[in-house]
Amino acid sequence: MKYEPSWEGPHSGDLFERYPLQMLTPHCKYSFHTQGDGKDSFLLNIEDHRVKVNGYYYWIMRLNAEDAAARGIDKHDLVKVYNDRGAVICAALPTQRLPRGVCHGYESSAVYDPMGEPGKSVDRGGCLNQLTPHRTQTKSTHSLAGSQSLVQVELWDGRTEHMSETFARMEKDKDVRATLKAASLVRRSDRVAVITGPPRKRRDPVNSTNLARTGYQAELRYAEMEHDHRRRGVHELPAVRARGHG
């Protein structure tokens, strides 16, 4: 048996400085995945399962009592658990059962309940899976990386906005896509001018001008292909959905 270090942890450099808590997300103790959870059943009366705060039942996030005290967090305070992948609002439960630097929340039975536009707002349903890495534990099977997430936990200030890294990249790429689209339209106009212009004499294949034209035509074909793909939605990103909850 060979020891393999976690993908995210104290060895992660800048990532660990920004997100210093290792989040554990094992299977739920009080229900069998989402199917047996019973969102409106007696399970809501189990304080260690969910806790009602201001009329809403929040998922529990456990963290070391000293870590909680350092952040000004008391029992059942609403906290924001987050990293670059998203943010989840939970009810805090300080405990001595976890070492410092570790927090714990169950991965199953959560409900994805964003408080604004999905992907651009916090979730209050307890969907901690969205904070875990996208990769699987092994190459040959599909399994969640349930103990490999670095997060930060802080008192929730009531703000609902939180941009995940996926949507941040999409926003950043908007200008790039607009530029590519404009360039594609310009190249199509150039192509019309070439077609309707006067016929050109054939040039020697090794002539530099001919090579330049050949490169231009290749670039033009690529631009036309990109334009056609975007028109047909080939490069459209699929709708972002919450990952499986168990």
Side-chain angles (χ1 to χ4, degrees):
M1 182 176 294
K2 179 183 177 181
Y3 170 76
E4 293 288 347
S6 62
W7 301 326
E8 298 178 3
H11 57 277
S12 298
D14 178 66
L15 185 67
F16 182 69
E17 291 182 9
R18 290 185 290 131
Y19 306 116
L21 297 178
Q22 190 93 41
M23 183 180 70
L24 306 179
T25 52
H27 280 294
C28 187
K29 180 178 181 180
Y30 301 102
S31 60
F32 182 74
H33 294 269
T34 298
Q35 294 177 341
D37 182 48
K39 301 298 186 293
D40 57 352
S41 73
F42 71 92
L43 291 177
L44 294 178
N45 297 326
I46 303 175
E47 195 174 79
D48 195 44
H49 185 61
R50 285 192 179 89
V51 62
K52 190 174 184 179
V53 180
N54 298 329
Y56 190 89
Y57 286 95
Y58 287 90
W59 209 235
I60 297 294
M61 175 55 64
R62 301 157 190 84
L63 69 163
N64 177 270
E66 294 181 38
D67 285 336
R71 291 165 171 76
I73 297 172
D74 294 321
K75 183 178 180 180
H76 295 168
D77 281 345
L78 294 182
V79 294
K80 178 180 176 181
V81 186
Y82 67 96
N83 57 24
D84 288 339
R85 303 180 184 103
V88 182
I89 306 303
C90 296
L93 181 61
T95 176
Q96 295 291 353
R97 298 180 65 184
L98 292 172
R100 297 207 66 173
V102 177
C103 60
H104 170 287
Y106 293 121
E107 58 90 14
S108 297
S109 310
V111 181
Y112 182 57
D113 187 10
M115 300 183 73
E117 185 177 351
K120 299 181 180 181
S121 61
V122 299
D123 161 53
R124 65 174 182 173
C127 189
L128 296 174
N129 282 353
Q130 64 180 312
L131 307 182
T132 60
H134 304 302
R135 60 186 289 186
T136 60
Q137 292 181 10
T138 65
K139 296 180 180 179
S140 59
T141 62
H142 175 74
S143 55
L144 293 176
S147 61
Q148 312 299 335
S149 305
L150 286 177
V151 299
Q152 178 60 286
V153 178
E154 61 185 32
L155 281 171
W156 184 40
D157 58 9
R159 291 188 294 179
T160 61
E161 302 83 5
H162 184 89
M163 182 80 74
S164 70
E165 62 175 350
T166 300
F167 279 87
R169 284 198 301 266
M170 292 172 62
E171 292 291 323
K172 186 176 181 180
D173 289 345
K174 278 185 178 179
D175 292 339
V176 177
R177 291 199 299 270
T179 302
L180 289 175
K181 182 178 181 180
S184 177
L185 293 176
V186 169
R187 289 167 184 160
R188 289 178 67 83
S189 299
D190 290 345
R191 181 172 179 269
V192 173
V194 170
I195 293 174
T196 58
R200 300 187 179 187
K201 296 181 180 180
R202 295 186 60 184
R203 297 180 182 270
D204 186 80
V206 299
N207 186 283
S208 60
T209 304
N210 194 45
L211 288 175
R213 184 184 301 114
T214 302
Y216 169 78
Q217 290 173 344
E219 184 180 3
L220 177 62
R221 287 194 297 272
Y222 178 78
E224 290 175 341
M225 181 183 66
E226 285 289 306
H227 178 79
D228 181 63
H229 282 190
R230 293 182 184 282
R231 179 180 61 80
R232 294 187 292 112
V234 174
H235 290 326
E236 292 290 332
L237 289 174
V240 176
R241 300 178 179 176
R243 297 160 64 198
H245 302 155

